[in-house]
Amino acid sequence: MRRPIVAGNWKLHGSRAENARLVEEIMAQVPSKPAGQCIVCPPLVYLQEVGRLLRGSSVELGAQDVCAETQGAFTGEVSAAMLKDVGCEYVIVGHSERRLIYRESDQLIARKFQAAQSKSMVPILCLGEQLAERDADRTKEVVGRQLDAVLELAGIDAFAHAVIAYEPVWAIGTGRNATPDQAQDVHAFIRARLQARNAKIAAETRVLYGGSVKAGNAAELFAMPDVDGGLIGGASLKADEFLAILAAARPH
Ligand code: PEP
């Protein structure tokens, strides 16, 4: 059985006061043993404090990005060792905003994936096509290429300690989510690609869906057999909404 995950990507939002309020609201309502694993990913500068606020709860801590390098002259960057040092267990790598706005390549993202694992953190590897690519029927070509870059560098065994998030770019922050069938189709494709290399790892890897997930549509998306929870942007900033999404997560 795969335990689902609901991870909140806070992106560039929050302040110390807002985070304290949000964490307090989440902690007041989150079950001590939820069916799904619950993770929050605040901005880098708040990781340590949010980790401290979450202590004793079932909610885990993740970062939104990591440097591929270990140390040295890389101004503005934060290493995997530093993230681990402040209590991170998960790291999002390859979010479409990193791929598109900051022009991160498939190869750089694969190195970030390895950097996270080198410090025993679990990478949440985001994959997803843009609208023009979907319209041109290139979704699987793009998602397959993004996945293969990591498989080639890190190998299939690395996926025993990784999570994948399928996030169609046209559905992120747009209010336009993929239909459950559209999500299932790509999730099954991702799992089949892993299965071609290792059936056991493929069967155990959690593949999350991300893109305008809300309390109102989470249950139907999470009911799909290859959808193992969600990576949540906007709706993770409201405790009620985020916890309702967590409550919709079911093991498969
Ligand atoms: C995301 O940023 O990963 C995301 C899925 O955002 P949203 O839920 O706001 O579409």
Side-chain angles (χ1 to χ4, degrees):
M1 276 247 166
R2 296 186 299 270
R3 187 174 179 215
I5 295 176
V6 170
N9 174 11
W10 293 2
K11 309 196 188 188
L12 188 58
H13 294 289
S15 64
R16 292 182 68 203
E18 285 168 4
N19 300 343
R21 207 174 315 126
L22 179 57
V23 170
E24 191 182 323
E25 287 171 11
I26 292 173
M27 287 186 54
Q29 300 173 62
V30 71
S32 55
K33 286 187 184 140
Q37 244 175 289
C38 183
I39 301 168
V40 294
C41 304
L44 281 173
V45 71
Y46 297 126
L47 280 169
Q48 189 165 6
E49 187 166 2
V50 170
R52 187 179 57 76
L53 294 171
L54 289 172
R55 212 165 285 157
S57 81
S58 58
V59 184
E60 297 172 88
L61 190 67
Q64 298 175 19
D65 190 23
V66 62
C67 183
E69 310 295 338
T70 52
Q71 63 173 9
F74 301 100
T75 301
E77 292 292 312
V78 172
S79 73
M82 293 169 187
L83 295 178
K84 186 73 181 177
D85 199 22
V86 298
C88 274
E89 298 295 338
Y90 296 84
V91 188
I92 299 171
V93 296
H95 190 281
S96 62
E97 287 149 19
R98 303 295 319 173
R99 290 180 188 269
L100 297 172
I101 303 170
Y102 299 99
R103 302 195 184 285
E104 291 190 3
S105 66
D106 295 340
Q107 287 68 33
L108 176 64
I109 290 157
R111 291 182 58 228
K112 290 185 172 201
F113 178 103
Q114 279 200 311
Q117 288 195 330
S118 75
K119 295 297 166 200
S120 304
M121 291 184 291
V122 176
I124 301 174
L125 171 66
C126 298
L127 312 172
E129 82 288 0
Q130 298 182 61
L131 184 57
E133 293 164 337
R134 173 160 284 263
D135 288 346
D137 208 16
R138 293 183 51 223
T139 297
K140 290 175 184 169
E141 174 200 324
V142 170
V143 170
R145 187 202 73 221
Q146 293 170 340
L147 178 59
D148 285 355
V150 181
L151 282 166
E152 273 155 34
L153 188 73
I156 184 66
D157 290 351
F159 282 81
H161 306 286
V163 172
I164 295 175
Y166 168 57
E167 298 208 305
V169 178
W170 46 272
I172 296 180
T174 58
R176 179 184 164 191
N177 62 292
T179 65
D181 286 335
Q182 283 175 322
Q184 170 58 26
D185 183 43
V186 182
H187 283 232
F189 165 78
I190 291 168
R191 202 175 302 288
R193 207 151 180 113
L194 299 177
Q195 192 170 11
R197 300 186 185 224
N198 185 315
K200 182 171 185 290
I201 287 175
E204 290 173 355
T205 302
R206 271 89 54 91
V207 184
L208 317 184
Y209 170 77
S212 300
V213 178
K214 302 180 202 66
N217 61 20
E220 59 175 9
L221 286 159
F222 297 171
M224 302 311 280
D226 287 296
V227 178
D228 304 309
L231 180 55
I232 318 300
S236 71
L237 299 171
K238 298 177 206 125
D240 288 354
E241 188 83 8
F242 185 55
L243 291 168
I245 295 169
L246 177 65
R250 292 278 171 278
H252 292 304

